[in-house]
Amino acid sequence: MQVVFQRPSALSDKHTHYCPGCTHGIIHRLVAEAIDELDVREKTIGVASVGCSVLAYEYFNCDMQQAAHGRAPAVATGIKRVHPDKVVFTYQGDGDLASIGMAEIVHAAARGEKITTIFVNNTIYGMTGGQMAPTSLVGQKTTTSPFGRKAEHCGYPIKIAELLSTLQGAVSVARVSVHDVPNIIKAKKAIKKAFEVQLSGAGFSIVEVLSTCPTNWGKPPLEALKWLKENMIPYYPLGEYRTPEEVK
Amino acid sequence: MAKQLMKGNEAIGEAAVQAGCRYFFGYPITPQNEVPEYMSRRLPEVGGVFLQAESEVAAINMVYGAAGAGARVMTSSSSPGISLKQEGISYIAGSELPCVIINIIRGGPGLGGIQPAQSDYFQATKGGGHGDYNLFVFAPASVQEMVDLIMESFDIADYYRNPVMIMGDGTLGQMMEPVEFKPVKKRDLPPKDWATTGCVGREHNIINSLALVAENLERHNWKLQEKYKQMKENEQRWELYKTEDAELVMVAYGTTARIVKSVVNKLREQGIKAGLLRPITIFPYPEKAFALLPDSVKAFLTVEMSAGQMVQDVRLAVNGKCPVHFCGRTGGIIPTPAEITKVAMEIMGGER
């Protein structure tokens, strides 16, 4: 019998704890496929963060370290400096990266740390039950912005891809989405390219992946995908913000 | 190797390099700046990496990453910076990673001052961050002793898979003394087969302190406690000075112990039988030393550059057998031999 579809070797056979309709599963798979296609599973060390993806160390079938909240880029820096020949990536959500971990991500990017960050932005703190994130949209209702996020009270959502693309060390910066199949294919390309950039030794690479949280958004999965497309993409435009060609 | 005159902080760096430390992540803070400065020059010479982090928080998490990747790694800071590192230290202890942490203590609380102090004793010896854990803590009293203990610390950290802290104070960091870098006895160390080095031909390794099932976390915590028990059994270190016939035993560590040593001599000149018990490890606390003291002991006097922290461990060790007195200066003031002598004389019934 011909195998036409199987689990990438860079994913373990553990059942994930993610909610039905959550797009973390898709993104995990894309990362694992990229690792497989580049044939680097045995030389890859991943860093899981704090948030919904905290258990990613069980799901990726490569060496993994679990990091304190927001500190994944610092942990990855420590690993990469010890093993410059290995592939090191962080997998972080928007509460982890864009709030408590802002200093670590900015400085890892500024140093041109030769690591890859997969930044999953679903505009909310998922694991803790749906609190407002620095990426929550203006007007978005969360458990800590029950009347909708008000800009005059807590400002505007942070655009991480745009922000990091101002740093010289961030040689590869892209924003993608996984709300439909064409975009999933594009997301896969961007993630693989980010790892290729790391392998080339050019510098820091990051892919911001727009993602859904049906549970905490209070929407069925399909509606959540639609909400992402109609509300997130206008504020968080997709595309390549920085590519190695530009850097040269 | 011949003796050379070195500043405490620079000697720390050299001792680490000679002990095989090849990675250092730090952040500037007075009075320990010469440690990162020394490492920034020295580590590239031996193929190592010095990196100035964006914060103490980032520095300790870089240490976590490097230690998890199997390296010999060190960071240094001073009191407020060590407070910032506590979350990371808790993760390192929870994940059972070896590393060496230097604290060149300054006066607190808050931003405090930049003069020497010993007011981080509780933080260093009682855990410091969240959770049931302990560091292995050395409290050297001279630059030479600091060098000797650091050279051993990396082996101890690897042996127990536990962070080791060297607790110095601003005086030790800043003063120059002659030092010699002598080879230390190596321990039998197991291979770091748990490190994240790339999973070639093996299952993937995970460095982690998360255990969501309470029973698993409790089991893990008892395992950590078992290590601390072993440290208490095997690693207590102290120095006894003129305690053979002592009636007053003074307890002091680090810089303060050097002052107290001269006080002991002064008191003996005046007919008071004083002695010194100097803890060298402050976790594990040298309780065994108290059992070695003669029956002649009538009282204890603990001297610290703090408002009274180690004195609690002295009371636990003495266990009500004798009165335990305290004499301390805080905020960066170093106690003078005269004021300590006066307190000791009062305890022993005044002038003779």
Side-chain angles (χ1 to χ4, degrees):
Chain A
M1 214 161 56
Q2 198 197 345
V3 177
V4 292
F5 188 80
Q6 62 182 351
R7 175 167 47 81
S9 70
L11 277 185
S12 75
D13 59 359
K14 282 250 159 112
H15 284 268
T16 73
H17 68 289
Y18 297 118
C19 302
C22 170
T23 40
H24 264 305
I26 295 170
I27 303 163
H28 276 31
R29 187 181 168 94
L30 299 184
V31 172
E33 283 180 356
I35 291 171
D36 275 14
E37 285 170 26
L38 296 167
D39 195 21
V40 291
R41 185 185 75 84
E42 290 186 335
K43 59 182 270 191
T44 296
I45 303 162
V47 183
S49 56
V50 169
C52 284
S53 56
V54 65
L55 295 172
Y57 59 81
E58 293 199 338
Y59 307 147
F60 287 110
N61 185 25
C62 57
D63 276 4
M64 294 291 294
Q65 295 198 21
Q66 198 285 318
H69 201 20
R71 317 300 173 217
V75 172
T77 297
I79 300 168
K80 187 74 182 192
R81 295 297 176 129
V82 173
H83 297 303
D85 56 328
K86 300 290 189 290
V87 175
V88 179
F89 76 94
T90 72
Y91 189 104
Q92 304 173 257
D94 45 309
D96 189 88
L97 181 144
S99 193
I100 194 166
M102 191 56 119
E104 283 76 11
I105 194 65
V106 167
H107 283 275
R111 284 192 303 268
E113 213 60 63
K114 295 172 186 66
I115 61 172
T116 300
T117 290
I118 308 300
F119 167 46
V120 180
N121 177 3
N122 60 6
T123 75
I124 206 156
Y125 282 81
M127 182 63 110
T128 46
Q131 294 80 14
M132 187 182 73
T135 44
S136 295
L137 297 178
V138 171
Q140 189 176 343
K141 285 185 182 171
T142 71
T143 58
T144 50
S145 59
F147 313 110
R149 177 177 184 154
K150 288 189 175 62
E152 61 274 25
H153 179 58
C154 46
Y156 293 88
I158 299 174
K159 299 178 176 185
I160 289 294
E162 288 85 335
L163 187 151
L164 292 181
S165 66
T166 64
L167 299 169
Q168 238 173 312
V171 297
S172 174
V173 181
R175 185 184 286 122
V176 297
S177 175
V178 289
H179 68 280
D180 61 20
V181 173
N183 277 286
I184 290 172
I185 292 167
K186 280 186 200 161
K188 163 75 181 298
K189 274 189 189 148
I191 289 168
K192 189 172 172 184
K193 186 175 168 189
F195 279 106
E196 283 169 341
V197 167
Q198 178 179 168
L199 285 164
S200 78
F204 177 79
S205 56
I206 180 168
V207 182
E208 175 174 345
V209 186
L210 301 185
S211 175
T212 64
C213 183
T215 300
N216 290 301
W217 290 358
K219 297 182 195 313
L222 284 177
E223 253 180 66
L225 293 170
K226 192 162 164 262
W227 190 87
L228 183 165
K229 186 180 171 191
E230 290 172 359
N231 296 278
M232 286 176 70
I233 292 176
Y235 189 81
Y236 295 117
L238 306 181
E240 285 187 310
Y241 286 83
R242 209 129 193 259
T243 66
E245 289 76 39
E246 262 174 61
V247 176
K248 283 168 203 162
Chain B
M1 216 166 119
K3 283 200 175 184
Q4 48 188 307
L5 197 61
M6 268 186 114
K7 197 173 193 176
N9 283 337
E10 298 194 334
I12 289 171
E14 185 56 31
V17 169
Q18 297 210 14
C21 170
R22 290 295 176 269
Y23 300 89
F24 182 95
F25 303 96
Y27 186 81
I29 183 169
T30 306
Q32 62 81 55
N33 292 316
E34 295 83 359
V35 184
E37 285 168 1
Y38 187 85
M39 292 308 243
S40 71
R41 296 191 299 272
R42 185 72 172 100
L43 278 173
E45 290 176 4
V46 290
V49 176
F50 162 86
L51 189 64
Q52 183 168 321
E54 61 270 28
S55 66
E56 284 93 348
V57 174
I60 194 69
N61 283 285
M62 290 172 185
V63 169
Y64 174 99
R72 284 207 154 169
V73 56
M74 183 169 90
T75 187
S76 70
S77 193
S78 177
S79 309
I82 294 288
S83 292
L84 278 167
K85 288 181 202 273
Q86 289 301 333
E87 181 203 35
I89 294 173
S90 173
Y91 273 67
I92 288 170
S95 304
E96 297 192 84
L97 297 178
C99 70
V100 175
I101 302 157
I102 309 289
N103 186 5
I104 300 299
I105 303 178
R106 55 189 256 184
L111 198 49
I114 57 169
Q115 306 292 334
Q118 295 180 316
S119 42
D120 297 354
Y121 180 91
F122 283 153
Q123 188 193 51
T125 60
K126 309 297 175 193
H130 61 284
D132 277 325
Y133 77 91
N134 280 104
L135 307 178
F136 189 110
V137 192
F138 277 129
S142 68
V143 175
Q144 181 66 60
E145 190 177 44
M146 189 154 65
V147 161
D148 294 343
L149 295 176
I150 288 170
M151 288 180 73
E152 261 190 86
S153 291
F154 288 90
D155 263 25
I156 294 172
D158 282 346
Y159 183 81
Y160 287 104
R161 284 187 64 181
N162 203 69
V164 175
M165 177 175 275
I166 306 294
M167 206 169 105
D169 59 59
T171 317
L172 272 179
Q174 292 299 321
M175 71 182 176
M176 290 182 91
E177 284 191 309
V179 287
E180 195 182 351
F181 295 89
K182 298 166 284 192
V184 291
K185 207 176 134 232
K186 292 274 161 205
R187 294 186 186 224
D188 242 351
L189 299 174
K192 294 185 176 180
D193 52 7
W194 43 265
T196 57
T197 54
C199 58
V200 180
R202 59 159 168 79
E203 291 290 298
H204 66 150
N205 282 343
I206 296 170
I207 301 296
N208 177 35
S209 61
L210 179 70
L212 288 170
V213 179
E215 285 78 5
N216 293 345
L217 184 53
E218 189 186 45
R219 200 176 312 123
H220 176 66
N221 283 341
W222 289 132
K223 186 182 152 213
L224 295 181
Q225 290 301 316
E226 188 52 43
K227 289 202 302 198
Y228 308 144
K229 209 175 123 196
Q230 274 180 37
M231 291 177 194
K232 284 176 189 172
E233 275 165 23
N234 304 322
E235 307 287 354
Q236 294 184 24
R237 277 191 230 182
W238 63 85
E239 180 197 353
L240 292 177
Y241 179 70
K242 297 189 177 172
T243 54
E244 300 81 9
D245 59 346
E247 295 181 355
L248 175 69
V249 170
M250 308 179 70
V251 189
Y253 66 94
T255 300
T256 313
R258 295 172 69 156
I259 302 167
V260 171
K261 220 173 221 183
S262 64
V263 171
V264 164
N265 291 329
K266 212 174 242 183
L267 287 167
R268 283 194 171 258
E269 279 167 23
Q270 305 200 35
I272 294 176
K273 288 179 179 168
L276 165 69
L277 190 166
R278 178 173 75 87
I280 297 171
T281 53
I282 48 176
F283 188 93
Y285 195 72
E287 293 158 352
K288 290 178 183 176
F290 289 79
L292 299 175
L293 294 172
D295 293 337
S296 55
V297 179
K298 293 194 177 100
F300 288 86
L301 172 61
T302 307
V303 187
E304 298 177 57
M305 288 195 284
S306 81
Q309 300 194 11
M310 181 183 70
V311 65
Q312 295 193 1
D313 283 335
V314 175
R315 290 201 174 108
L316 285 171
V318 171
N319 200 17
K321 283 179 203 134
C322 291
V324 176
H325 302 273
F326 173 73
C327 166
R329 296 299 300 268
T330 172
I333 308 273
I334 300 170
T336 63
E339 64 189 302
I340 302 168
T341 306
K342 190 165 169 274
V343 175
M345 301 278 272
E346 278 166 19
I347 294 166
M348 297 310 284
E351 300 262 0
R352 293 191 181 177

